[in-house]
Every structure is written in C-alpha cells, then in structure tokens.
Amino acid sequence: MRTKLVAGNWKMHGSLAANLGLLHAVRDGAGGAAEVALCVPYPYLAQAQAALNGSKVAWGAQDVSEHAQGAWTGEVSAAMLADFACRYVLVGHSERRSFFGDTDAVVAAKFVAARKAGLVPILCVGESLAEREAGITGEVVTRQIDAVLGGCEITDFAKAIVAYEPVWAIGTGRTASPEQAQEVHALIRSRFAREDAAIAGGLRILYGGSVKAGNAAELFGQPDIDGGLIGGASLVAADFLAICAAAA
Ligand code: PGA
C-alpha cells in the first residue's frame, strides 16, 4: 500500500555540464512503479526543474533554513525551494548534524518550516557507530524523532518521510544488513503508531547508507523498508536506475 520512493542525494557534487546527462538519463530511465526524486545542490534546482518538469522524477533540496526570511546570510528558505517547485527537502542529514551543528531542535524547526511551505520533508535519523556499539540505537533514533514530534502535529507526518541512515553506513561501503535495518525501521514505525496508527501505516521509511544495485532488492524487500536515500550511487545514472528498478 506504500509506494516505494528512491531519492538521490547528490551532496556537493556536480556541474551544469555534468548534471545535464545525469538528469536526462534518470528522467528517461525511471519508468517503474517506484517514485523517484533527486535532491540536488541549491544552484542546480532551476536546472533540475527544467530537465525534470513533466516527468515522473521529482526534485528537491538537501537542507533548508528554519527561518522564513530576513537577515540570515547564506540561508535558503522553504518558500524559495517551493518557488522552484521542489517536492522534497532533506532535513537532519547526519552530515548537517555532525559538520554544521544541526541540533535536534534545529532539525525540528527546519521540518516545521518545510511543512509550512508545503514541502515534503525527508527527516533523516540514525546512530553513530559508537552509539550502536553502546546498544543505544533505539534510544538515539527515538530521541531524534521525538524532538520533531514535539514541535509539529502528528498529521504533518502524513506529508513527510523518514530516512533511517546509520551514520556508520554512510559513504563507507558498509551497509546495515537487511535484518539490522528492518529492526530499526519497525521501531520507527511503532514510535509513530503510538501517536496515530493510520499515519504510521502510511509513513514511508527509507533506508540510506551505501545502498547499491547489488544490495537494494534485499533491503527494499523488508516489510518496513519503503525505498532508499542514495548518496554515492545516485551520481551514476546506471547505478541509480538499477536501484530504482530494484524498488519497483
Ligand atoms: P551513501 O550516502 O549512499 O553514499 O552511503 C547516503 C546518504 O548520505 O544519504
């Protein structure tokens, strides 16, 4: 009942010249049952919009300001993203949390700002290796979710997505096993079910962290894994399209 979503996260990669081939290849190759989206760097949103408009591939950004407007040099508001017809925006990616100081409270505020502008936030959560080894994965992920739930309505999650991304699996080539991922996905869904069973049942929970063509089908076959958030493999059209096909 949940349509799978495969979202690419280009991170800080690309150029006008290089993007064009990738955008067109993904646009022309994405044909299956899964939804497909690309989260591109801000300067390339107009290019993504021009290339993907009218296709089945949606686009979005990788971060958003928690502020609506004003003297916030360097920031980009949710309304600006909506101006470029973004459907999605990542909030709380672990690289934002660990390198740019996005606290749970900031992530919650960004989530609310995105929802206010009609965007679909993709809320990223996940534990570090030390946290997993300390046996506190569930605690960490629950804390990250509760911070957002504390600042919004549960109904906001009818128009939001969660991505479980164990930090130790991002860009490392080390993937959570399907069983490890499923266990956390089930925990995340049960956390939302405590608030609203119907919203929890409809909530798409993506897995992210070294997803490749070779491991995607097994991950996406788990009952609570509703697609993927794809970093490195989203930069190569054939790899990304193979992952999209594995979700269809
Ligand atoms: P990766 O990145 O697929 O390169 O591990 C995933 C992410 O950071 O979203």
Side-chain angles (χ1 to χ4, degrees), residues 18-163:
N19 299 344
L20 206 58
L22 182 53
L23 288 165
H24 287 166
V26 172
R27 178 195 65 192
D28 297 342
E35 253 185 71
V36 178
L38 294 173
C39 294
V40 306
Y42 294 135
Y44 301 133
L45 283 172
Q47 187 189 27
Q49 181 180 19
L52 302 175
N53 195 25
S55 80
K56 72 163 291 202
V57 181
W59 57 95
Q62 301 167 11
D63 191 24
V64 64
S65 174
E66 68 264 48
H67 306 291
Q69 62 173 358
W72 304 102
T73 301
E75 290 290 274
V76 173
S77 74
M80 293 171 186
L81 300 182
D83 244 356
F84 287 87
C86 288
R87 184 180 305 161
Y88 297 106
V89 61
L90 305 182
V91 298
H93 189 280
S94 68
E95 285 152 20
R96 301 298 320 172
R97 292 179 189 263
S98 58
F99 304 138
F100 299 97
D102 282 16
T103 61
D104 287 342
V106 167
V107 173
K110 289 182 172 186
F111 180 97
V112 169
R115 280 298 309 126
K116 269 195 190 145
L119 303 172
V120 177
I122 300 178
L123 170 64
C124 304
V125 299
E127 82 288 4
S128 67
L129 184 58
E131 289 163 339
R132 173 159 285 265
E133 285 173 347
I136 56 169
T137 295
E139 223 172 282
V140 169
V141 166
T142 304
R143 187 202 76 222
Q144 291 170 334
I145 291 170
D146 285 357
V148 178
L149 280 173
C152 72
E153 304 295 327
I154 182 64
T155 49
D156 283 309
F157 278 89
K159 296 256 172 60
I161 286 169
V162 174

Side-chain angles (χ1 to χ4, degrees), residues 9 11 93-95 165 169-172 208-211 229-233:
N9 170 15
K11 308 195 180 185
H93 189 280
S94 68
E95 285 152 20
E165 298 205 302
I170 295 177
T172 58
S210 299
V211 177
L229 182 55
I230 317 300

